[in-house]
Amino acid sequence: QVLRDLEQPNEAIENYQKAIALRPDLGIAHTNLCDLYEKYNRVDELKNALHRAQGALAENDPELLFLMALLASREKRFAAARDLLERVSSESLPPHTRQRHSELLAKTYDRLGEFSSAFSRFAATNEIVKQFSAAQQFSARRYLDRIAKTSASWANAGKLKWPASPATDYPYSLAFLVGFPRSGTTLLDTILRSHPEVLVVEEKHMVESMRTQTGGLATVELLSGLNDDQIAGLREAYTEELLSEIKLDGSHKLIIDKLPLNITDAGLIHRVFPESRFILALRHPYDCVLSCFMQNFQLNDAMANFLTLQQSARLYDAVMSLWVHYNNALDLEVGMLKYEDLVHDLPGTAKPLLNFLGLDWHDNLLNYQQTALSRGMIKTPSYNQVTQDLYRQAIGRWKNYQDRFKEIAPVSYTHLRAHETYEGISDAVFCF
């Protein structure tokens, strides 16, 4: 597991195989090996590993049944996956596999149209997550409080005109791919990184390193008071963190920093890199919130908000409210792209965005699936979707759960209610 967390899959696979050689009936080793192959989209190797597990484990071994269901799901044999999963008593599984089992069963119910069972199982999965000791160190409220304090600072800022800072001497342009989680950012990331002049840096913490230097809260007052030396120091902190993650070889024209919730630090980003651009990924608000509730994210303060549907909605509204405040106060350069448009017409949607980024169309963008397969492990819940044809099944999924949204409707989520005008993207609502 340590080697896997260090993104050394081949070394992790070797050690799992050694464990299986020593203990052929060690179910957890078979589970972890197959899970690793699945996460890296190495489906043929998953099949081979499952075949070995079937030869070593008892026919009704709960971990073997889970692995068989995992493969059936990847092969879109959802009824078979459901039947296998329902044969498993979750109490017979180790905690991590119990969570994976519950999550897979929930998604299988969803794919089979058994929506009431799916929602109940997603809620049960999140309850399992809450029981993990690691979950106790994270606070959804702490993250919301930071957004609320930042938002209060920006709400009545008026139109800001900061003094020009010295231009950066970077040999590349910089753009920030932002949006609410589950807005199609992983798909867009994979498409854009297929362009030979683009380097995407995924889910790293360069912006956080700058915010840490500001004391953790980038208010209007603090950013307005920065001098040139302080801004240079923040740029240096960003660059140092960036260069610890990548090597620049001069072949790329544009670096895209992709971390969706950097949207909450747009003011800080604009102050330090005023020439940078934002790529804003949008998706129907209800689909977005529902998908976050359904996903198994690696927990932190932000992701802890997705353990209930109502808390997911609350965070969506807080994040989009802050984004509106930023746009009211600052002249941000924003290229907006809707997930639904992208999956229906990739070239027609991507070309205007490329033009905004100063790039020409390249046919390699149509080969994004191969790009995804060559990436190794994709660290977002969409890892097994971006290797497929453009995935349309999730558009309008919220309608299958609209009764659940009625339960949270009395709460005044201004931007969640913007779903009523989403298809037309009302400037008055979204302030883009």
Side-chain angles (χ1 to χ4, degrees):
Q1 186 65 40
V2 173
L3 290 168
R4 172 178 170 160
D5 292 343
L6 292 172
E7 298 182 38
Q8 299 178 22
N10 293 329
E11 292 82 353
I13 288 168
E14 181 181 348
N15 280 276
Y16 287 140
Q17 290 173 336
K18 287 179 180 178
I20 291 169
L22 292 170
R23 283 275 309 277
D25 63 343
L26 187 60
I28 191 64
H30 287 286
T31 300
N32 287 343
L33 178 61
C34 289
D35 186 50
L36 188 61
Y37 283 137
E38 197 269 339
K39 281 288 193 296
Y40 275 84
N41 292 304
R42 293 161 66 166
V43 178
D44 288 340
E45 290 166 285
L46 167 61
K47 292 179 182 178
N48 292 334
L50 177 56
H51 180 73
R52 291 193 295 273
Q54 288 173 309
L57 303 177
E59 181 179 350
N60 289 318
D61 184 287
E63 293 188 70
L64 177 60
L65 293 174
F66 168 73
L67 295 176
M68 293 169 64
L70 187 66
L71 178 60
S73 179
R74 287 303 296 253
E75 294 178 337
K76 301 188 185 328
R77 295 184 288 111
F78 298 113
R82 176 197 58 201
D83 294 345
L84 287 162
L85 291 166
E86 288 182 342
R87 288 170 58 187
V88 177
S89 169
S90 63
E91 289 72 19
S92 63
L93 295 167
H96 176 71
T97 311
R98 188 181 309 148
Q99 176 194 348
R100 293 291 316 283
H101 167 270
S102 185
E103 178 193 12
L104 183 58
L105 183 56
K107 291 183 177 180
T108 302
Y109 284 144
D110 177 77
R111 293 301 295 267
L112 291 170
E114 300 175 21
F115 302 119
S116 179
S117 295
F119 191 91
S120 296
R121 181 47 52 186
F122 282 120
T125 303
N126 289 340
E127 287 301 317
I128 294 172
V129 172
K130 291 179 186 178
Q131 295 168 14
F132 291 155
S133 59
Q136 309 306 314
Q137 64 183 297
F138 301 117
S139 169
R141 171 51 57 188
R142 184 164 55 214
Y143 189 78
L144 271 174
D145 283 349
R146 180 173 71 80
I147 293 178
K149 290 175 182 176
T150 307
S151 197
S153 169
W154 287 86
N156 299 304
K159 201 68 177 177
L160 297 177
K161 187 68 175 178
W162 284 320
S165 300
T168 61
D169 56 358
Y170 294 163
Y172 50 80
S173 297
L174 186 60
F176 293 84
L177 174 49
V178 300
F180 201 74
R182 304 300 296 163
S183 293
T185 53
T186 299
L187 173 62
L188 183 55
D189 160 359
T190 305
I191 291 170
L192 290 173
R193 74 169 65 224
S194 301
H195 196 290
E197 295 181 327
V198 172
L199 175 63
V200 179
V201 185
E202 181 188 28
E203 308 282 339
K204 300 302 180 182
H205 301 285
M206 290 80 70
V207 172
E208 183 180 348
S209 69
M210 294 195 301
R211 179 162 32 81
T212 299
Q213 287 206 7
T214 69
L217 202 63
T219 63
V220 172
E221 296 76 17
L222 184 145
L223 296 182
S224 297
L226 294 177
N227 59 39
D228 289 348
D229 289 341
Q230 290 170 316
I231 290 174
L234 292 173
R235 287 179 181 170
E236 184 178 346
Y238 181 97
T239 304
E240 182 177 340
E241 185 72 21
L242 175 68
L243 294 179
S244 72
E245 301 290 349
I246 62 170
K247 292 183 179 179
L248 298 175
D249 59 11
S251 63
H252 299 103
K253 181 178 179 180
L254 174 68
I255 291 180
I256 297 177
D257 181 341
K258 179 250 180 175
L259 203 165
L261 283 175
N262 277 345
I263 189 174
T264 64
D265 286 309
L268 171 62
I269 292 168
H270 181 69
R271 184 70 173 108
V272 178
F273 298 104
E275 71 280 13
S276 65
R277 297 172 182 176
F278 290 89
I279 305 165
L280 177 65
L282 289 174
R283 183 183 179 188
H284 191 292
Y286 276 23
D287 275 336
C288 208
V289 166
L290 177 66
S291 187
C292 287
F293 167 71
M294 288 178 165
Q295 299 309 316
N296 174 25
F297 292 100
Q298 183 175 346
L299 276 190
N300 54 33
D301 284 355
M303 301 300 107
N305 284 278
F306 298 140
L307 296 178
T308 69
L309 186 66
Q310 182 157 350
Q311 191 72 5
S312 301
R314 181 173 287 112
L315 181 61
Y316 183 94
D317 195 62
V319 167
M320 299 312 289
S321 294
L322 178 55
W323 173 253
V324 168
H325 295 328
Y326 284 140
N327 276 269
N328 287 338
L330 302 170
D331 292 322
L332 303 178
E333 288 195 68
V334 183
M336 183 183 68
L337 185 144
K338 291 172 62 180
Y339 168 77
E340 295 84 355
D341 292 341
L342 183 64
V343 298
H344 281 118
D345 182 5
L346 191 161
T349 308
K351 285 178 180 178
L353 180 63
L354 292 174
N355 183 62
F356 167 76
L357 296 171
L359 299 170
D360 294 324
W361 170 262
H362 195 285
D363 286 342
N364 200 47
L365 271 68
L366 299 175
N367 299 326
Y368 72 92
Q369 291 166 286
Q370 189 56 47
T371 300
L373 289 170
S374 67
R375 288 177 60 182
M377 185 175 181
I378 299 171
K379 298 180 182 179
T380 70
S382 303
Y383 69 93
N384 60 354
Q385 295 172 4
V386 295
T387 59
Q388 305 173 22
D389 292 333
L390 288 171
Y391 187 81
R392 297 184 175 90
Q393 292 92 326
I395 296 177
R397 176 182 277 162
W398 73 271
K399 295 175 184 177
N400 301 320
Y401 299 90
Q402 52 188 313
D403 288 346
R404 303 292 180 170
F405 281 95
K406 290 178 183 177
E407 296 173 9
I408 64 174
V411 183
S412 180
Y413 297 135
T414 304
H415 300 283
L416 187 65
R417 287 189 284 107
H419 79 277
E420 298 165 359
T421 57
Y422 178 76
E423 285 73 13
I425 294 292
S426 165
D427 288 345
V429 173
F430 289 100
C431 296
F432 300 144

